[in-house]
Amino acid sequence: MADGTYAVLSLLLNVSRLPSASILTRLRLDACLYEPAAAREAGKRGRNALKGKAQPKLSARLAASTTQWKKHTLCWYGGTKREMELATGTALWYQSPVPPVAIRWVLIRDPQGQYEPMALLCTDQEALAVQIVEWFVLRWTLEVTFHEVRAHLGVETQRQWSDLAIMRTTPALLGLFSLVTIFAQQLLGKPPFPIRQTAWYTKALPTFSDTLAFVRQHLWPSTFFSVSSDEGDTVQIPRVLFDHLVDTLTFAA
């Protein structure tokens, strides 16, 4: 599953040739789609045709009254259900000089008009339209993970020169993301998750910054990781002030 950046014919062609893999991406509404090539007539000279008759552009299908739309209740973003209208079909996507790629296209239209119409493609022509859309929706959790790992754990900002070090760091940080999530789940129990709000931004669900701060609040006051000498000077401060300082620092980037 990928965004429209990976809707590249050469990539789709290579993936479609693999026996147990397919690719699902967004599709341009003005993509050139064709029927399969007709069978070669006996005794006809010349090379075999690569494609058949041109199909209407998906942008034209959106406006056409003959397009067959079906309403489906889909698993949507944020773990919700949403009713959408889908139209689907199979075609060859072709643009010289790359050979044509067989795809299933899916048009998505929101009856409520909240979302702009969009198109998806899948190199598995046997896949159902509903399944294709729900697969694509699952991609959002990956996008959120990569965004939050970049924002809070420093992925893509490493300062190594060794290729091996670079290859080790990103998987280690992604593993740390998973560990923080698991620690928070174990610490949470039944109480509701503490979600930090601001005057200019409210949110109903916790983000990774809340999760990371929650784990830090439990780890930092602990003496298990203390390496300071027991004979050092100590300064006593009120518990309320100490908790406030810890709470503030846990949200630091």
Side-chain angles (χ1 to χ4, degrees):
M1 297 173 289
D3 59 22
T5 306
Y6 295 90
V8 180
L9 276 170
S10 56
L11 173 63
L12 299 179
L13 179 66
N14 289 328
V15 172
S16 66
R17 289 171 174 171
L18 299 175
S20 58
S22 58
I23 188 168
L24 189 163
T25 75
R26 295 192 65 162
L27 176 63
R28 293 174 58 100
L29 294 175
D30 60 352
C32 296
L33 305 179
Y34 299 89
E35 298 287 347
R40 183 185 179 89
E41 297 179 6
K44 185 177 181 179
R45 296 184 178 182
R47 64 177 186 175
N48 294 330
L50 294 177
K51 56 183 176 59
K53 182 181 177 182
Q55 293 188 2
K57 298 289 180 67
L58 296 181
S59 55
R61 291 184 186 272
L62 277 173
S65 59
T66 56
T67 303
Q68 297 181 359
W69 297 95
K70 291 184 178 181
K71 288 187 176 181
H72 298 274
T73 301
L74 306 171
C75 295
W76 202 244
Y77 298 102
T80 61
K81 296 282 187 178
R82 189 174 185 88
E83 188 178 71
M84 303 292 279
E85 295 178 337
L86 305 182
T88 186
T90 58
L92 296 180
W93 187 15
Y94 175 69
Q95 187 172 354
S96 181
V98 181
V101 178
I103 64 168
R104 173 168 291 280
W105 55 263
V106 180
L107 274 175
I108 308 171
R109 188 172 69 178
D110 184 6
Q112 302 178 18
Q114 182 178 352
Y115 295 93
E116 291 291 329
M118 62 178 293
L120 303 176
L121 72 85
C122 183
T123 55
D124 180 4
Q125 290 190 314
E126 301 300 320
L128 300 176
V130 173
Q131 185 65 80
I132 289 172
V133 176
E134 292 185 341
W135 279 339
F136 189 75
V137 170
L138 290 176
R139 184 184 64 90
W140 181 248
T141 57
L142 299 178
E143 296 290 337
V144 172
T145 297
F146 287 131
H147 171 76
E148 295 190 335
V149 170
R150 287 194 297 267
H152 303 291
L153 297 182
V155 170
E156 297 183 352
T157 60
Q158 302 101 351
R159 294 295 183 267
Q160 297 101 343
W161 292 98
S162 168
D163 290 340
L164 290 177
I166 296 171
M167 293 173 64
R168 287 193 298 263
T169 302
T170 298
L173 291 176
L174 288 171
L176 180 61
F177 182 95
S178 300
L179 285 175
V180 170
T181 305
I182 293 171
F183 290 162
Q185 180 67 27
Q186 294 295 321
L187 291 170
L188 186 59
K190 294 183 179 179
F193 200 102
I195 304 175
R196 193 174 195 183
Q197 307 287 353
T198 61
W200 58 89
Y201 177 66
T202 59
K203 53 189 177 184
L205 298 174
T207 61
F208 185 69
S209 61
D210 298 304
T211 308
L212 183 60
F214 181 63
V215 173
R216 285 172 172 173
Q217 288 165 358
H218 283 77
L219 291 180
W220 287 0
S222 172
T223 58
F224 292 116
F225 301 102
S226 176
V227 294
S228 300
S229 172
D230 294 335
E231 300 177 357
D233 292 336
T234 59
V235 177
Q236 295 185 356
I237 61 174
R239 167 60 65 176
V240 174
L241 176 59
F242 176 78
D243 291 341
H244 178 70
L245 291 174
V246 171
D247 180 67
T248 301
L249 289 172
T250 54
F251 280 93

